Amino acid sequence: MTAAYLTRIVPDPRSPEARRDARTAVDLHRRLMSLFPDNAGPDPRARFHVLHRTEDTPTGPHLLLQSSHQPDLTKLPTTYGTATTKPLDALLGALRPGLTIRYRCVASPVRKPGATTRAAYNLPAVVALTGTAADEWWYRQADTAGLKIISLHAQPLDNARGTRNPNTGDRQRIHHARTRFDGTAAVLDPGQLRTAILEGIGRGKSYGCGLLSIAPAKPGPT
């Protein structure tokens, strides 16, 4: 089984580097990828299974970073904030059919219009889904991930935005609509679930989408 690590970074609001990274999804992606080895091939994010999202907490935003390679936290600026890493092997190894879990995933639910429809209505390559359509998208993703949804709460979030290569002629605007899915589910296929956790779900994985987090559900009162 592939190793997995979860790192929690608590940025210091006084840190100029942390404030800059919080402004765009592209800057944050670059910061997090700087914690992993260089010369890792054409897609180091996929090679190291790097996924992340920003969590709002009562004390401010925290960054959750998941990877199959332990990040080098010494590469963070000394004033950036605090960071700790823990292995997820025990959690993933304990998955079994029938286990009830709590889940959270910030994802970018989209659909691809057919070529004819896209041309007729001048639609983009993908169309963001909201409301019931986003819920239905999540049910399909959960099924592929070996989960049976028991409860679901979906909350639209701000879009992930940024510009790649801003100082060149090859500027590329990044725009991913995001929805946070929370709830409980039953594990049907532990292998499929491990794959979904490691590889992520949907689009925008470099920019804060796709990280599926789980925890055992607490038993109800007897």
Side-chain angles (χ1 to χ4, degrees), residues 12-200:
D12 188 330
R14 297 168 296 182
S15 166
E17 295 93 347
R19 291 198 303 271
R20 184 196 66 194
D21 293 345
R23 293 188 188 116
T24 79
V26 173
D27 287 337
L28 182 56
H29 165 71
R30 289 173 178 157
R31 174 70 66 190
L32 296 178
M33 290 308 304
S34 74
L35 308 181
F36 298 92
D38 297 328
N39 304 317
D43 192 351
R45 190 215 62 79
R47 176 175 176 178
F48 299 129
H49 300 92
V50 178
L51 299 163
H52 75 276
R53 72 166 178 265
T54 300
E55 291 273 278
D56 291 326
T57 78
T59 59
H62 291 190
L63 301 176
L64 294 184
L65 169 64
Q66 183 183 286
S67 57
S68 58
H69 183 95
Q70 188 166 355
D72 183 356
L73 300 180
T74 65
K75 293 183 177 180
L76 284 173
T78 55
T79 61
Y80 200 88
T82 61
T84 56
T85 298
K86 66 178 183 180
L88 293 177
D89 300 357
L91 175 66
L92 299 182
L95 297 177
R96 65 182 188 279
L99 178 69
T100 301
I101 61 165
R102 293 179 290 113
Y103 66 81
R104 170 169 291 178
C105 184
V106 171
S108 181
V110 298
R111 67 175 176 86
K112 295 182 179 181
T116 301
T117 302
R118 181 182 175 190
Y121 295 96
N122 192 29
L123 296 174
V126 294
V127 176
L129 302 177
T130 59
T132 301
D135 293 350
E136 292 172 348
W137 178 91
W138 175 248
Y139 274 99
R140 294 193 296 271
Q141 300 302 314
D143 183 68
T144 301
L147 291 174
K148 180 181 179 180
I149 298 298
I150 298 172
S151 67
L152 167 63
H153 174 71
Q155 177 182 348
L157 302 177
D158 292 339
N159 296 338
R161 299 177 182 272
T163 302
R164 294 169 58 185
N165 308 317
N167 300 318
T168 71
D170 187 29
R171 293 166 57 94
Q172 301 176 37
R173 294 189 180 277
I174 301 301
H175 183 112
H176 292 287
R178 301 184 306 150
T179 299
R180 191 178 76 191
F181 300 98
D182 291 284
T184 58
V187 177
L188 299 180
D189 189 314
Q192 288 180 328
L193 180 54
R194 291 188 193 101
T195 297
I197 290 172
L198 288 170
E199 296 185 358

